[in-house]
């Protein structure tokens, strides 16, 4: 057994903050490799989908994905996120109108420069955002810039962007795993979402996700992912 000279919790904290046993599953090495392989193959099929259909999606699937996203680690475990969900045609219409107005300025009034425009060409995007009305659900992840106590005092949050970025990743992973499609959409600027969705001062829009099934015969850009050698660097000798 590994002996720690400085175990957790530190002895002087253990009484005030007792720890509980870790619920951890171990697998055989064969099983670990198989699970890793199966999961990678499944995740390699994930694609951002803009051509979402209007086919209804039961709300409990959205709830499950948000619960899963909420298992993300966060700075000091403050969980500085809020997932705002709408399936209302009226609210979706208002979001689409405001997003398209902003994106039109991006694409047509030069907020996107020529280099950026060329980079977006393979994705085939323009200012039209029909999916915002067609997809059954829109989920907007708001970052909590600071928390509020019961008495209305501000509570500092830590690593908010990192925490929300991880939660966003887990959200799209959970949706894909259940057989749903989404797009990490950041209509820019996004401040209109606070207004349309009636969010308080301490929340700021982070990413918007339209969620649904892809349309039949959905096509996506022919993108390749970087091979391992281009994203991984090994330093030093391996452990014994
Ligand atoms: N927000 C715009 C433009 C856009 C920017 C990037 I970087 C993308 O990867 C995709 C789109 C839009 O949604 O069209």
């Amino acid at each position: 057994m590994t002996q720690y000279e400085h175990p957790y919790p530190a002895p002087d904290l253990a009484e005030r903050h007792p720890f509980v046993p870790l619920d951890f599953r171990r697998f055989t090495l064969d099983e670990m490799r198989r699970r890793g392989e199966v999961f990678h193959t499944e995740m390699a099929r994930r694609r951002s989908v803009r051509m979402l259909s209007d086919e209804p999606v039961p709300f409990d699937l959205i709830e499950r994905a948000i619960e899963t996203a909420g298992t993300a680690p966060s700075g000091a475990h403050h969980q500085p996120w809020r997932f705002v969900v709408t399936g209302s045609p009226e609210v979706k219409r208002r979001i689409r109108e405001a997003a398209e107005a902003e994106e039109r300025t991006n694409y047509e009034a030069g907020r996107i420069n020529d280099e950026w425009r060329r980079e977006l060409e393979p994705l085939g995007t323009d200012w039209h955002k029909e999916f915002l009305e067609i997809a059954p659900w829109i989920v907007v992840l708001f970052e909590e810039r600071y928390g509020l106590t019961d008495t209305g005092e501000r509570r500092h949050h830590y690593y908010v962007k990192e925490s929300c970025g991880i939660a966003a990743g887990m959200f799209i992973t959970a949706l894909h795993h259940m057989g749903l499609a989404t797009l990490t959409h950041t209509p820019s600027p996004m401040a209109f979402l606070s207004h349309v969705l009636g969010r308080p001062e301490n929340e700021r829009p982070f990413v918007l996700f339209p969620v649904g099934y892809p349309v039949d015969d959905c096509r996506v850009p022919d993108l390749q992912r970087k091979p391992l050698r281009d994203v991984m660097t090994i330093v030093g000798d391996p452990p014994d």
Side-chain angles (χ1 to χ4, degrees):
M1 265 252 287
T2 316
Q3 285 303 318
Y4 271 86
E5 276 178 53
H6 304 285
Y8 295 96
D12 53 326
L13 297 175
E15 205 163 312
R16 256 189 304 146
H17 303 285
F19 278 26
V20 294
L22 172 65
D23 180 12
F24 187 84
R25 288 169 69 190
R26 279 210 57 160
F27 307 104
T28 63
L29 264 185
D30 278 354
E31 180 73 348
M32 290 167 82
R33 293 202 168 98
R34 197 191 64 78
R35 290 172 65 95
E37 176 73 35
V38 166
F39 194 61
H40 171 245
T41 303
E42 187 185 339
M43 290 315 295
R45 266 202 323 273
R46 188 203 59 79
R47 295 297 309 265
S48 290
V49 173
R50 293 180 173 80
M51 298 278 280
L52 295 160
S53 81
D54 62 359
E55 186 179 342
V57 167
F59 182 57
D60 63 281
L61 298 179
I62 306 297
E63 289 182 305
R64 197 65 58 245
I66 293 172
E67 270 186 323
T68 305
T71 68
S74 62
H77 192 52
H78 283 199
Q79 306 166 85
W81 42 66
R82 167 77 52 175
F83 292 81
V84 180
V85 187
T86 188
S88 151
E90 171 60 17
V91 177
K92 290 192 294 181
R93 187 181 60 73
R94 290 175 60 199
I95 291 175
R96 174 185 175 181
E97 279 172 6
E100 286 189 333
E102 293 293 4
E103 294 292 4
R104 203 166 180 158
T105 312
N106 290 337
Y107 283 90
E108 293 191 345
R111 264 202 309 229
I112 292 182
N113 65 22
D114 286 348
E115 181 194 355
W116 192 355
R117 192 182 303 275
R118 268 195 307 280
E119 302 272 20
L120 291 181
E121 263 176 23
L123 306 182
T125 57
D126 61 20
W127 62 265
H128 296 94
K129 302 298 171 193
E130 281 174 89
F131 54 76
L132 292 173
E133 260 189 286
I134 294 175
W137 299 105
I138 289 180
V139 179
V140 183
L141 167 51
F142 284 78
E143 54 174 300
E144 258 186 28
R145 297 157 55 223
Y146 53 88
L148 290 170
T149 65
D150 295 342
T151 53
E153 265 135 340
R154 282 189 188 205
R155 182 175 186 231
H156 185 80
H157 282 334
Y158 308 88
Y159 301 101
V160 172
K161 299 239 179 259
E162 292 83 349
S163 306
C164 288
I166 297 167
M170 295 180 69
F171 182 62
I172 65 174
T173 303
L175 290 173
H176 177 73
H177 189 62
M178 287 192 293
L180 287 167
T182 189
L183 165 73
T184 47
H185 184 40
T186 50
S188 169
M190 289 206 280
F192 71 87
L193 289 168
S194 298
H195 175 66
V196 173
L197 296 167
R199 301 315 301 164
E201 230 297 290
N202 64 324
E203 292 180 13
R204 181 161 50 204
F206 187 67
V207 196
L208 178 158
F209 308 92
V211 182
Y213 298 101
V215 294
D216 293 339
D217 58 39
C218 180
R219 295 169 81 83
V220 291
D222 186 15
L223 306 180
Q224 306 305 319
R225 295 195 165 104
K226 289 182 180 178
L228 187 57
R229 68 172 178 282
D230 290 355
V231 298
M232 181 178 81
T233 301
I234 308 171
V235 177
D237 298 326
D240 311 324

